[in-house]
Amino acid sequence: MQKLNFPTYSFRFKNSENKTYIFDVIRKKFLVFTPEEWVRQHVLQFFIHQHKYPVSFINVEKSVKVNGTSKRYDIVVYRKDGSIFLLVECKAPEVTITQQTFDQIARYNLTLNASYLMVTNGINHYFCQMDFQNEKYLFLTDLPKFEVPNP
């Protein structure tokens, strides 16, 4: 397992039929252990432990229609009102983050309208805040705390 640019977390693994599986705390099931899944599971732990994003507001690998084509996003964090707070695109560590990666998440966000974006390969993390009015994204050094509405 490659060391990623995240704090150290503990994960559950199992082996079956010559394959290794890692447990996903959001989907509550074991998934085939791939380099991209290794990154995705670190991002989930990062959100839960470092950013205190509520587990019940996190969704993983769901279908979304983009220009009439069915695509799958990696991770979404919702707000209490059901709008999307954050959209995440995960790549395997050996995949270089390029403009194409940002174009991919931007296409998904045309449908999802997330306020924040994160692109990561586990080594390099990029955080952006959407500026819908000027049709651009602003790079940040970290993600904001989860938005808790005032009572």
Side-chain angles (χ1 to χ4, degrees), residues 72-120:
R72 290 180 81 76
Y73 61 71
D74 283 310
I75 302 170
V76 158
V77 179
Y78 290 94
R79 289 187 186 86
K80 195 170 189 172
D81 68 5
S83 65
I84 298 177
F85 173 68
L86 170 65
L87 171 62
V88 183
E89 179 61 31
C90 299
K91 297 295 184 188
E94 66 274 7
V95 175
T96 303
I97 304 294
T98 64
Q99 184 61 49
Q100 284 182 307
T101 312
F102 283 98
D103 293 346
Q104 177 185 2
I105 198 169
R107 277 192 305 275
Y108 291 5
N109 207 36
L110 288 173
T111 301
L112 298 172
N113 295 312
S115 299
Y116 296 92
L117 305 177
M118 176 181 178
V119 175
T120 182

Side-chain angles (χ1 to χ4, degrees), residues 80 147-151:
K80 195 170 189 172
E147 295 173 8
V148 180
N150 294 328

